Amino acid sequence: MNRLLASSCRLALGAAVLALGLSAAPTARAAGDVAAGKALFQQKCSICHANEKGVMRIGPSLWGVVGRQAGTLPGYTYSDAMAHANRVWNADTLSTYLTNPQKDIPGIKMLFAGLPSQTDRDNVIAYLATLH
Ligand code: HEC
């Protein structure tokens, strides 16, 4: 009886470990696809952002944006909200921002609903990282 109990305990523990492993999997981020990200950038971002150095459109140039302190590109007039965002753009901060820009930094002037798909965000961030 005791042995039976012990072995079913082990089984339950095994199942719990497996479940933990499975639920941890989606948070591991795969590297994005640069070509898909470039296509997405052209479709969704290029109307307001250039991918060349120093070219301002409605939004600032995104050349070199990965590693940039938010709201600091010379030659572009940011909103107060973005100028005081106080963060460096990296894969994590960009992913949160691009999910829902207005929610992430209330009061910014980027009128873009966001990219709900993590794959889309990973892809566009992989592309942005090539702009150096
Ligand atoms: C409708 C125009 C528009 C679209 C579309 C748009 N943006 Fe923006 N973006 C802006 C504006 C305007 C700002 C400046 C915001 C501010 O100062 O409040 C900005 C700011 C940013 C910043 C901060 C840059 C910095 O120098 O700190 C990033 C990053 C960014 N956008 C990424 C993107 C990406 C990636 C896309 C496409 C998925 C995109 N944006 C689509 C207008 C746009």
Side-chain angles (χ1 to χ4, degrees):
M1 177 63 187
N2 269 345
R3 276 181 60 202
L4 196 69
L5 206 70
S7 75
S8 69
C9 257
R10 259 203 307 278
L11 259 179
L13 196 69
V17 168
L18 192 72
L20 256 179
L22 285 177
S23 70
T27 61
R29 201 180 277 143
D33 176 332
V34 172
K38 182 174 184 179
L40 197 86
F41 178 90
Q42 251 128 29
Q43 211 188 331
K44 304 245 180 189
C45 320
S46 67
I47 187 168
C48 297
H49 292 286
N51 56 5
E52 302 145 72
K53 190 175 186 174
V55 179
M56 309 301 163
R57 292 195 180 146
I58 292 168
S61 166
L62 292 184
W63 190 91
V65 72
V66 175
R68 178 192 298 168
Q69 176 82 24
T72 61
L73 186 67
Y76 184 78
T77 308
Y78 292 91
S79 63
D80 283 351
M82 185 61 85
H84 295 116
N86 191 28
R87 69 184 62 185
V88 172
W89 293 123
N90 58 35
D92 284 337
T93 53
L94 281 168
S95 186
T96 304
Y97 177 67
L98 293 174
T99 303
N100 187 340
Q102 292 284 339
K103 186 174 167 216
D104 186 34
I105 312 177
I108 54 163
K109 58 179 183 174
M110 170 159 148
L111 301 178
F112 178 69
L115 298 173
S117 150
Q118 185 176 320
T119 305
D120 284 351
R121 294 195 304 273
D122 286 346
N123 292 348
V124 86
I125 291 165
Y127 171 64
L128 293 176
T130 68
L131 303 177
H132 275 280

